[in-house]
């Protein structure tokens, strides 16, 4: 069992990990930036250390500083949360060098799935279907040749990326040059690597991800799937589970494909295997693997009763997964809304500032993961998410109704948020009837909202 964990993150995920550690009797040290010294996470941890200034490039994104903070405070492990260094093999490698436990997969696994093309190769080797696509394309001319072979429309995607950065669609040959240049430039800015590859663009697509766990004893299991199709600029906005669009036979095949990849990699710890579901063809394709805990992991926790962060800590400490596949029973339906300090009416521009009133909803079936409170100053340096509001109910219709009611009761003052925006989405007939895709929010909902 781990004894003291450095939590190398901020916001709600830092609070989530600290509370899981506390419940397991594990001491915590929070590594913060100067902007987060007085955060809720810093108050809850047994100790907090400052990595550096507010800019994440000089604090949260410095593997050497994070590793040194863990060593100097007597920690035996580092939990990276999500984002920042969570999927950077450099931090996992430093942990291995200095005898620290990385609460996540090993450096080799991070290398294997961190590069999207390498992940595709592993998926093919494991017998998992992938979206028809290309290897690296090194110029717009090369991309044009590959696009002709794949068939338009195509997506140009950052090989070293994730989170929707460095992704652009080319509808036809006329759009290839501009799409290539924009995708490559964004990939260089976001990841320091402008390498691109291509995939066939699936128009009526759903984004379905399977939650998986693996341990050092050969254990591998799934904790069901989540539908993350409500996206803007390839960033998830609302997640739910289970994926109501899937027929039982396809759901079983999807879970099996995810576990084949986990076993092929010898993957250890929590992760998600991401798929694109082609609703017109009723088929699915692997797109990537996220080798970390996900923002939307509470959806699976509500459905299954499995504490995924606690499982991460147990696995990192050398224990097997505490549950067997046959013990995991998914019940009801769960929805998560990401509550952001932003202005949907101003192209979702961040709106940092001080929260003057904070009265979240409560009651049966409601869960709130947050680091915010009345008086909290939302900083301008990081992602604008201030909370994750979740509901769990007997079925999808009941969960939607419960979420709308919870959003109605959530009172936040002092800053702009997307609370009302979420209510609008959840009340839309297309969402209610499940007629959505990964492009629905941008192509249907937002244009109609602007026109109203």
């Amino acid at each position: 069992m781990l004894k003291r964990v450095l939590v190398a993150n901020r916001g709600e995920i830092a609070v989530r990990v600290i509370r899981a550690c506390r419940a397991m009797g594990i001491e915590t040290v929070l590594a913060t930036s100067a902007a987060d010294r007085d955060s809720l996470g810093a108050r809850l941890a047994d100790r907090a250390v400052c990595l550096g200034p507010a800019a994440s490039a000089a604090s949260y994104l410095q593997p050497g500083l994070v590793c040194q903070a863990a060593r100097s405070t007597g920690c035996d492990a580092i939990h990276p949360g999500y984002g920042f260094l969570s999927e950077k093999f450099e931090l996992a490698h430093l942990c291995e060098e200095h005898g620290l436990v990385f609460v996540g997969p090993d450096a080799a696994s991070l290398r294997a799935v961190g590069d999207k093309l390498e992940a595709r190769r592993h998926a093919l080797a494991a017998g998992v279907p992938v979206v028809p696509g290309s290897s690296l394309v090194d110029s717009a001319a090369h991309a044009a040749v590959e696009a002709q072979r794949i068939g338009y429309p195509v997506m140009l995607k950052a090989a070293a990326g994730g989170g929707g950065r460095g992704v652009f669609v080319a509808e036809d040959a006329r759009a290839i040059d501009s799409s290539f240049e924009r995708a490559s430039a964004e990939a260089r800015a976001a990841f320091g690597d402008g390498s691109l590859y291509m995939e066939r663009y699936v128009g009526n697509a759903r984004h379905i991800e399977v939650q998986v766990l693996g341990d050092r004893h050969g254990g591998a299991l799934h904790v069901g799937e989540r539908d993350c199709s409500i996206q803007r600029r390839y960033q998830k906005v609302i997640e739910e589970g289970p994926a109501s669009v899937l027929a039982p036979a396809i759901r079983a095949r999807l879970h099996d494909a995810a576990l084949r990849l986990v076993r092929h990699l010898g993957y250890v710890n929590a992760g998600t295997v991401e798929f694109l579901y082609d609703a017109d063809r009723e088929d699915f394709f692997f797109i990537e693997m996220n080798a970390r805990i996900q923002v939307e992991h509470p959806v699976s926790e509500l459905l299954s009763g499995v504490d995924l962060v606690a499982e991460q800590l147990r696995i990192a400490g050398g224990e097997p997964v505490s549950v067997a596949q046959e013990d995991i029973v998914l019940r009801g339906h769960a929805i998560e809304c990401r509550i952001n300090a932003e202005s949907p009416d101003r192209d979702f521009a961040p709106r940092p500032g001080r929260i003057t009133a904070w009265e979240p909803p409560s009651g049966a079936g409601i869960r709130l993961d947050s680091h915010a409170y009345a008086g909290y100053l939302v900083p301008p340096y990081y992602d604008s998410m201030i909370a994750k509001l979740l509901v769990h109910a007997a079925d999808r219709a009941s969960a939607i109704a419960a979420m709308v009611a919870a959003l109605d009761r959530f009172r936040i003052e002092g800053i702009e948020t997307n609370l009302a925006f979420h209510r609008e989405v959840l009340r839309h007939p297309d969402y209610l009837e499940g007629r959505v895709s990964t492009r629905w929010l941008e192509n249907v909902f937002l244009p109609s909202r602007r026109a109203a």
Side-chain angles (χ1 to χ4, degrees), residues 315-333:
I315 292 167
E319 298 180 35
V321 179
S322 69
V323 291
Q325 187 68 72
E326 56 268 24
D327 297 327
I328 295 177
V329 180
L330 306 179
R331 295 182 173 88
H333 199 90

Side-chain angles (χ1 to χ4, degrees), residues 5 13 23 55 57 148 170 178 193 229 233 271 273 310 337 357 363 406 416 420 427 447:
V5 172
I13 190 60
Q148 194 65 37
S178 62
D193 184 346
S229 300
R233 295 179 181 173
V273 186
C337 289
E416 288 187 73
R427 286 172 170 149

Side-chain angles (χ1 to χ4, degrees), residues 13 38 45 70 89 94-95 105 133 136 142 168 175 218 247 288 305 331 393 412 442:
I13 190 60
D38 297 321
F89 76 88
L94 279 175
C95 287
L136 284 178
H142 185 191
F168 286 87
E288 64 180 337
R331 295 182 173 88
I412 304 173
E442 289 182 299

Side-chain angles (χ1 to χ4, degrees), residues 23-279:
M24 299 174 70
I26 301 171
E27 294 180 12
T28 55
V29 177
L30 181 65
T32 80
S33 72
D36 288 327
R37 278 181 177 172
D38 297 321
S39 65
L40 180 59
R43 298 178 191 179
L44 292 174
D46 294 294
R47 181 178 174 186
V49 293
C50 185
L51 294 172
S56 56
S59 52
Y60 294 114
L61 289 173
Q62 289 290 327
L65 289 178
V66 170
C67 189
Q68 180 58 37
R71 296 177 66 199
S72 65
T73 55
C75 292
D76 51 7
I78 296 175
H79 195 305
Y82 54 70
F84 292 138
L85 295 173
S86 61
E87 293 182 278
K88 298 296 184 183
F89 76 88
E90 293 90 348
L91 179 58
H93 180 67
L94 279 175
C95 287
E96 292 171 3
E97 279 190 340
H98 294 289
L100 294 165
V101 175
F102 182 73
V103 185
D106 60 22
S109 291
L110 286 171
R111 277 185 177 275
V113 299
D115 181 281
K116 307 308 178 190
L117 282 173
E118 184 69 12
R120 279 173 62 92
R121 286 191 283 271
H122 280 287
L124 287 167
V128 177
V130 301
V131 181
S134 73
S135 56
L136 284 178
V137 289
D138 53 19
S139 67
H142 185 191
V145 172
E146 290 296 314
Q148 194 65 37
R149 177 183 62 81
I150 297 166
Y152 287 101
V154 294
M155 295 181 72
L156 292 109
K157 304 180 72 173
R165 305 301 301 277
V167 179
F168 286 87
V169 176
E171 296 286 350
D172 52 39
R174 292 171 297 182
I176 276 289
D177 285 0
S178 62
S179 295
F180 181 90
E181 295 303 327
R182 291 168 69 194
S184 185
E186 186 168 288
R188 280 194 299 273
F191 313 113
D193 184 346
S195 301
L196 303 177
Y197 68 104
M198 297 168 67
E199 290 180 345
R200 185 179 76 195
Y201 176 69
V202 179
N204 189 16
R206 304 288 277 261
H207 184 141
I208 311 292
E209 61 187 26
V210 180
Q211 177 69 57
V212 294
L213 291 168
D215 61 36
R216 301 186 188 282
H217 306 273
L221 56 82
H222 70 80
V223 192
E225 82 287 343
R226 302 181 289 255
D227 187 334
C228 306
S229 300
I230 303 298
Q231 302 178 6
R232 176 182 165 273
R233 295 179 181 173
Y234 306 104
Q235 296 282 335
K236 299 165 187 173
V237 177
I238 298 173
E239 304 96 350
E240 61 182 285
S244 57
V245 71
L246 298 179
I250 294 174
R251 176 176 286 109
R253 285 175 47 216
L254 191 79
H255 294 167
D256 179 67
L259 289 180
R260 285 205 304 274
L261 182 60
V262 170
R263 294 185 180 110
H264 167 79
L265 293 169
Y267 185 85
V268 172
N269 218 266
T272 55
V273 186
E274 314 269 318
F275 295 94
L276 199 66
Y277 178 68
D278 188 331

